[in-house]
């Protein structure tokens, strides 16, 4: 997203930011299904989506190293995973775009057409 890219460039230009952990805030969380919904609307294509359970990844991991590693990262997908961007917001007086407005801006759509 352009706003997140600008935030990272600003931090890169500030000497005191080096060596610190920074999270560029977003507005709330978004589920995988919502990402698919927005992307489908933007691209004009509705993919077939299947949910994969952890045991399925373990089974696939028997023959595929990448799937084995996905099992270790499964916690990122089975519950909300939100980063705290308060530090950056306080430092830069930053206000995040919504996912839908940022996505639509990138492809020239307006936010209302995505809701």
């Amino acid at each position: 997203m352009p706003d997140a890219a600008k935030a990272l460039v600003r931090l890169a230009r500030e000497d005191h930011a080096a060596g610190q952990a920074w999270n560029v805030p977003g507005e709330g969380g978004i589920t995988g299904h919502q990402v698919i919904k927005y992307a489908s609307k933007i691209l004009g294509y509705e993919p077939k989506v299947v949910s994969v359970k952890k045991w399925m990844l373990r089974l696939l991991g028997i023959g595929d190293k990448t799937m084995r590693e996905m099992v270790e990262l499964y916690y990122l997908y089975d519950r909300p995973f939100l980063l705290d961007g308060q530090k950056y917001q306080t430092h830069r007086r930053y206000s995040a775009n919504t996912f839908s407005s940022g996505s639509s801006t990138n492809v020239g759509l307006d936010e209302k057409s995505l809701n």
Side-chain angles (χ1 to χ4, degrees):
M1 300 294 175
D3 60 331
K6 287 176 187 176
L8 293 174
V9 169
R10 284 184 194 126
L11 283 172
R13 291 180 176 162
E14 297 178 8
D15 290 337
H16 76 278
Q20 295 186 52
W22 295 89
N23 294 320
V24 177
E27 186 173 87
I30 186 166
T31 67
H33 290 283
Q34 289 171 312
V35 171
I36 292 167
K37 174 186 164 190
Y38 290 129
S40 297
K41 185 86 169 183
I42 290 168
L43 300 172
Y45 172 76
E46 187 135 352
K48 293 182 182 178
V49 179
V50 178
S51 293
V52 178
K53 304 291 183 198
K54 195 172 186 177
W55 68 267
M56 295 173 172
L57 290 175
R58 281 195 181 110
L59 187 61
L60 291 170
I62 293 171
D64 187 308
K65 182 181 177 189
T66 301
M67 291 297 113
R68 241 185 339 265
E69 291 172 4
M70 287 297 296
V71 173
E72 294 177 28
L73 299 174
Y74 194 78
Y75 71 95
L76 294 171
Y77 304 100
D78 71 344
R79 65 188 74 113
F81 187 80
L82 301 174
L83 299 174
D84 182 6
Q86 187 63 41
K87 177 179 173 181
Y88 187 81
Q89 282 179 307
T90 301
H91 175 69
R92 296 297 299 186
R93 293 181 303 280
Y94 172 84
S95 110
N97 284 339
T98 63
F99 184 82
S100 60
S101 69
S103 301
S104 60
T105 300
N106 285 338
V107 293
L109 299 175
D110 66 357
E111 184 172 1
K112 292 177 184 170
S113 69
L114 294 174
N115 294 323

